[in-house]
Amino acid sequence: MMNRLTEKVLFEKLQQGDQKVLKNFFDDTFALFVAFAQDFLGRDDACEDIVQDTFVTFWEQKESFENIYYVKAFFYKTIRHKCLNHIRHQRIAAKYADSVQKTQGELESTTYYVDAVIQEEASRMVYEEILKLSEVGRQVMLLALEGFSNDEIAEKLGISVNTVRTHKARAYQYLRGRLNELRILLLLLQPW
């Protein structure tokens, strides 16, 4: 799985054609990439096909990438391009037609694209890092992400409100330090 391998090792094994690592990479990222495609197409069956096609294209070009960040940027750009082509060349079912016409300009804008990438990638990265926290810290952060207040978290976990605040402060500090990868990815996603 991706979180078991360092990104450097993952990248090297993908470039070498390690099919087991590709399968793990596929399993770890498929849902994320489908969700990204769904930002453009909604719950269209074509999302899964687009992501699968992108994996095939990636596999055919695996030696041409410089690092894992270029791989991720390739997936986001290719999926976006395929989704926009799908929108342009296919008639959307009646229940999607109105929403697509209203948001066509938004979907094609670079801002929407970058925002969608940021949201999907940041969510994945934050969740992965939260899972690395101590047991109590992880529970506090997951409950906070579900919208529970400090008082509610303290009551659910049987700890004081000050302890909740302390765990949140430590978690935020840890997350800020660990999420620098997102900045690199954003630089690579800038349109040509």
Side-chain angles (χ1 to χ4, degrees), residues 2 26 31 64 73 76 85 92 108 150 152 164-165:
M2 263 178 49
F26 179 89
S64 66
Y76 285 116
N85 280 343
I92 305 298
E108 291 180 352
N150 288 349
E152 292 169 327
V164 170
R165 288 186 186 123

Side-chain angles (χ1 to χ4, degrees), residues 117-118 121-122 125 179-187:
V117 169
I118 291 169
E121 204 50 28
M125 291 166 50
L179 298 176
N180 285 329
E181 174 188 324
L182 186 58
R183 292 183 188 138
I184 295 169
L185 183 61
L186 292 177
L187 290 174

Side-chain angles (χ1 to χ4, degrees), residues 102-188:
K102 290 176 188 173
T103 61
Q104 186 70 31
E106 271 183 40
L107 291 175
E108 291 180 352
S109 76
T110 301
T111 303
Y112 180 84
Y113 164 63
V114 171
D115 288 348
V117 169
I118 291 169
Q119 182 179 0
E120 295 299 328
E121 204 50 28
S123 295
R124 177 195 63 82
M125 291 166 50
V126 168
Y127 183 74
E128 283 180 4
E129 293 303 325
I130 286 173
L131 293 179
K132 295 177 185 176
L133 297 172
S134 68
E135 181 65 28
V136 176
R138 180 174 45 248
Q139 290 174 338
V140 166
M141 290 306 294
L142 291 174
L143 289 170
L145 288 174
E146 289 179 29
F148 289 98
S149 70
N150 288 349
D151 293 333
E152 292 169 327
I153 294 170
E155 185 178 325
K156 280 185 172 293
L157 298 179
I159 58 178
S160 73
V161 174
N162 283 336
T163 303
V164 170
R165 288 186 186 123
T166 300
H167 279 286
K168 285 173 93 174
R170 287 179 185 158
Y172 291 143
Q173 183 178 12
Y174 170 79
L175 291 172
R176 274 193 295 274
R178 299 292 296 174
L179 298 176
N180 285 329
E181 174 188 324
L182 186 58
R183 292 183 188 138
I184 295 169
L185 183 61
L186 292 177
L187 290 174
L188 295 172

Side-chain angles (χ1 to χ4, degrees), residues 19-165:
Q19 292 184 357
K20 183 178 178 184
V21 172
L22 175 67
K23 183 184 181 327
N24 288 338
F25 180 67
F26 179 89
D27 292 342
D28 287 345
T29 59
F30 183 77
L32 172 75
F33 291 142
V34 169
F36 179 71
Q38 288 173 342
D39 287 343
F40 293 93
L41 301 179
R43 298 268 178 213
D44 194 324
D45 293 338
C47 293
E48 290 186 7
D49 294 339
I50 286 171
V51 173
Q52 288 174 353
D53 288 346
T54 304
F55 269 94
V56 170
T57 304
F58 161 74
W59 193 246
E60 293 169 351
Q61 300 175 14
K62 64 187 174 295
E63 289 102 6
S64 66
F65 297 97
E66 293 181 27
N67 60 45
I68 194 67
Y69 303 113
Y70 283 94
V71 171
K72 289 179 181 181
F74 166 81
F75 273 93
Y76 285 116
K77 284 185 173 189
T78 303
I79 291 168
R80 174 183 180 253
H81 178 75
K82 289 178 181 274
C83 286
L84 292 176
N85 280 343
H86 181 78
I87 289 170
R88 288 184 190 107
H89 296 105
Q90 301 293 320
R91 288 188 163 247
I92 305 298
K95 63 182 176 178
Y96 297 112
D98 290 338
S99 67
V100 170
Q101 288 173 357
K102 290 176 188 173
T103 61
Q104 186 70 31
E106 271 183 40
L107 291 175
E108 291 180 352
S109 76
T110 301
T111 303
Y112 180 84
Y113 164 63
V114 171
D115 288 348
V117 169
I118 291 169
Q119 182 179 0
E120 295 299 328
E121 204 50 28
S123 295
R124 177 195 63 82
M125 291 166 50
V126 168
Y127 183 74
E128 283 180 4
E129 293 303 325
I130 286 173
L131 293 179
K132 295 177 185 176
L133 297 172
S134 68
E135 181 65 28
V136 176
R138 180 174 45 248
Q139 290 174 338
V140 166
M141 290 306 294
L142 291 174
L143 289 170
L145 288 174
E146 289 179 29
F148 289 98
S149 70
N150 288 349
D151 293 333
E152 292 169 327
I153 294 170
E155 185 178 325
K156 280 185 172 293
L157 298 179
I159 58 178
S160 73
V161 174
N162 283 336
T163 303
V164 170
R165 288 186 186 123

